[in-house]
Amino acid sequence: MTDPRANMEGNNLLNLGAPHLDWSKTPGRVPGFWVSAVSVILAVPLPFPALFVALIGLSLSLRAFSVVPVGARGRGLVLASLALSGATILAVVVRLVLVFV
């Protein structure tokens, strides 16, 4: 069956206003960022609670990271929260190593 309407190549449907996916409502994207930011603030005065909070932020961010595709709007916030969680975990581990040395 050769239906010319089935040929999607070059038909300019996206230029006519076809809907684009909205990744800004991905579960865990915004809460993961805020939890990771709080963990960075807690890393200096309270290392053990900061480690616990950072792990929660890391799990929320990883959930959003697996959903949001590369290049989509909102991916930068997920990457920033992953970096904040990783920095907090690294800071707590370095602080514990320095205490025991």
Side-chain angles (χ1 to χ4, degrees):
M1 197 165 158
T2 57
D3 188 4
R5 293 174 293 172
N7 185 10
M8 297 300 286
E9 193 173 319
N11 65 3
N12 295 324
L13 282 178
L14 290 177
N15 294 337
L16 294 174
H20 296 283
L21 295 174
D22 183 20
W23 297 102
S24 65
K25 294 176 179 66
T26 302
R29 187 177 77 88
V30 175
F33 174 76
W34 286 113
V35 170
S36 298
V38 168
S39 71
V40 170
I41 295 169
L42 289 176
V44 174
L46 305 167
F48 289 117
L51 184 63
F52 181 68
V53 172
L55 291 175
I56 293 171
L58 185 66
S59 68
L60 289 170
S61 301
L62 284 174
R63 184 182 309 157
F65 184 76
S66 66
V67 173
V68 179
V70 176
R73 184 178 178 153
R75 178 83 169 196
L77 190 65
V78 174
L79 293 175
S81 85
L82 287 173
L84 288 173
S85 294
T88 301
I89 293 169
L90 183 66
V92 170
V93 167
V94 167
R95 184 173 176 176
L96 290 175
V97 167
L98 290 177
V99 166
F100 290 122
V101 171

